[in-house]
Amino acid sequence: MAPCMAASVLGSPVFDLFLLVFHFFCLTNTISFTRDELLNIRQNTPQDLTDINYSDVLLNVVIGGAAALMKRYRTCRRVKRVGVLVRLRKCAFQTPLPSIHLANLHSLPNKTDKLLLLSRTNKDFSHSAALCFTETWLNDAIPDSALHLPGFQLFIADHESTGKSRGGGTCFYINERWCRDATVLKKMCCPDLEVQFVNCKPFYSPWEFNLFILVSVYIPPKAQVSLALQKLADQITETEQQHLDSVLIILGDFNKANLSRELPKYRQHVTCPTRDSNILDHCYTTIKDAYHSVPRAALGHSDHCLVHLIPSYKQKLKSAKPVVRTVRRWTSETEQDLQSCFDITDWSVFEAATTDLDELTETVTSYISFCEDVCIPTRTYLIFNNDKPWFTVKLRHLRQAKEDAYRNGDRALYNQARYTLNKENSAAKKTYAKKLENQLTSNDSTSVWRGLRAITNYKTPSPCTEANQ
């Protein structure tokens, strides 16, 4: 206990101020003693030690400095605390993927009070970007005001078209601090499948994700699994074609169904049992290791536990270092310079200096590379692994112009720069799509395979990976 108290005293600003003032006083008023006076200091105390007169100006300076130092210390501590709170508040919604809670409720109206209490007492729940609930048992007789959750936007897909009087229904609660631009793309409801697509454009998203499409799914226990999966796969494929840059997050109660059998590229991320020892509630994305599932206590008398899906995906910009690439800038002038270099070259020198065809080939090739290095200028640039293939240098300049207009506060220039950037971005996407189409329709097999790799994002495995396999 004593060392801790000593450390706290030594680290306090008051103690530092005392040492500073004491040192200043010692320098301005020096007192000297003889050997006899030091030996008899108890009996003979010199008057100079106690009768020290300091001017009022010096005293005001010392007191003012102490007050300013204490005020600055308190301000720094306050700013530090506020900075920590602001940083935590921002980081809660600046993850690459949204944090989601998933559950089968067995009637949402009976659990509204529990959801409200949970949002007030549990930070993980209140900071969740989205809440996905299935078997809400909702109908037109229940107003949306009775289901309101402060800070969340509600999207309902009821079950009336299935012909059932009870059961089914899905809904989304979208956190307004994560996204306010959320709209329903489409809904589908039949006896074998209930599905809802919600398009979300959050305030923050990584460069590789433009928007998120959340899909709530409920497949009843008595449904025809193959027919339900086929309908769901058709809806997902159609949505992917309409929104090429989107990330689909498919959530819900699948019971006996498994979407990976119909769409193998989608991975299932819920690994904890959701009802007894069975995993009935699923989460699918095309991203490897996107989520880590954690079971929570069930809401009310529901027999399904509440699943917290924590993002574990690491965005591309942080997963790998940028690649440094050097390219040659070929122009008509540089080609003429290179041709002139070849014209003045005496090629017979290489034939006389070599005795073997392989040696001659290697020598001539090295000389040609040397001439290219001399005549053709090069340019070095960085390639980030989250760069879009259609994002050209022109688009980079337009984006920088948009940022400059925003910082300068010129609203008219900012709107014009944003419009130009969006227009050029759409044109660049169409040009890139035509390029891929031409590669696939050409008679060149190399171009065809290159186009297939670009579409499927296939990467050739490294030799180390093949050796380990």
Side-chain angles (χ1 to χ4, degrees), residues 15 33 122 174 209 269 307 311-312 350 358 363 378 393 398 404:
F15 184 74
F33 297 93
N122 192 321
I174 306 298
F209 304 143
H269 303 294
V307 181
S312 58
F350 300 105
D358 295 335
T363 305
T378 59
V393 178
L398 292 175
D404 295 340

Side-chain angles (χ1 to χ4, degrees), residues 26-314:
C26 292
L27 292 177
T28 56
N29 299 275
T30 306
I31 303 175
S32 61
F33 297 93
T34 63
R35 182 176 181 276
D36 296 335
E37 288 175 345
L38 289 175
L39 293 176
N40 300 324
I41 194 169
R42 291 188 177 182
Q43 291 79 13
N44 301 321
T45 302
Q47 296 297 325
D48 295 339
L49 186 61
T50 56
D51 298 338
I52 301 176
N53 295 323
Y54 300 101
S55 63
D56 295 337
V57 176
L58 179 61
L59 186 61
N60 292 334
V61 169
V62 173
I63 295 176
L69 182 61
M70 292 301 298
K71 182 178 179 181
R72 182 179 180 184
Y73 175 72
R74 289 194 296 268
T75 304
C76 291
R77 290 189 64 185
R78 192 181 303 113
V79 169
K80 185 177 181 180
R81 287 199 302 269
V82 173
V84 170
L85 292 176
V86 170
R87 187 161 58 250
L88 289 176
R89 195 177 296 116
K90 287 182 179 180
C91 292
F93 300 99
Q94 287 191 359
T95 54
L97 293 176
S99 174
I100 302 174
H101 278 78
L102 171 65
N104 184 312
L105 292 184
H106 283 266
S107 178
L108 176 61
N110 298 335
K111 300 175 178 62
T112 307
D113 297 338
K114 297 180 178 60
L115 293 177
L116 184 60
L117 178 62
L118 194 61
S119 64
R120 293 176 178 176
T121 58
N122 192 321
K123 290 185 178 180
D124 290 338
F125 191 84
S126 61
H127 288 173
S128 182
L131 310 175
C132 179
F133 298 132
T134 57
E135 285 208 69
T136 55
W137 299 2
L138 300 176
N139 50 48
D140 293 338
I142 302 175
D144 293 347
S145 58
L147 309 172
H148 176 67
L149 196 61
F152 289 84
Q153 189 177 2
L154 178 62
F155 296 91
I156 299 175
D158 53 36
H159 61 273
E160 290 186 351
S161 58
T162 60
K164 295 184 294 184
S165 60
R166 185 179 180 182
T170 65
C171 76
F172 271 118
Y173 281 99
I174 306 298
N175 199 320
E176 294 180 350
R177 288 180 290 176
W178 175 68
C179 174
R180 290 187 178 180
D181 187 3
T183 55
V184 177
L185 290 180
K186 54 185 175 181
K187 300 179 184 179
M188 179 181 178
C189 194
C190 64
D192 296 322
L193 176 66
E194 299 177 28
V195 61
Q196 177 183 206
F197 290 77
V198 178
N199 185 12
C200 300
K201 297 180 180 180
F203 300 112
Y204 168 83
S205 62
W207 178 247
E208 58 263 30
F209 304 143
N210 283 351
L211 53 91
F212 298 92
I213 298 180
L214 305 182
V215 185
S216 61
V217 178
Y218 176 65
I219 300 178
K222 298 181 180 180
Q224 298 182 12
V225 175
S226 58
L227 182 60
L229 289 179
Q230 184 178 0
K231 292 181 179 179
L232 179 59
D234 294 339
Q235 296 291 328
I236 293 173
T237 305
E238 181 182 355
T239 305
E240 288 177 340
Q241 294 175 355
Q242 296 175 355
H243 304 275
L244 300 178
D245 300 333
S246 63
V247 176
L248 270 71
I249 304 177
I250 305 167
L251 309 147
D253 186 0
F254 283 76
N255 284 302
K256 301 177 183 180
N258 188 354
L259 184 61
S260 299
R261 298 176 182 175
E262 193 71 23
L263 297 176
K265 64 179 181 179
Y266 279 88
R267 307 168 185 268
Q268 214 282 93
H269 303 294
V270 179
T271 57
C272 58
T274 60
R275 181 183 179 185
D276 298 333
S277 59
N278 301 318
I279 303 177
L280 303 182
D281 300 311
H282 296 177
C283 172
Y284 294 94
T285 65
T286 58
I287 305 170
K288 182 180 180 181
D289 300 330
Y291 284 101
H292 169 64
S293 60
V294 178
R296 305 296 186 190
L299 294 173
H301 298 287
S302 175
D303 55 354
H304 288 245
C305 69
L306 183 66
V307 181
H308 185 194
L309 295 168
I310 304 174
S312 58
Y313 168 75
K314 192 174 182 180

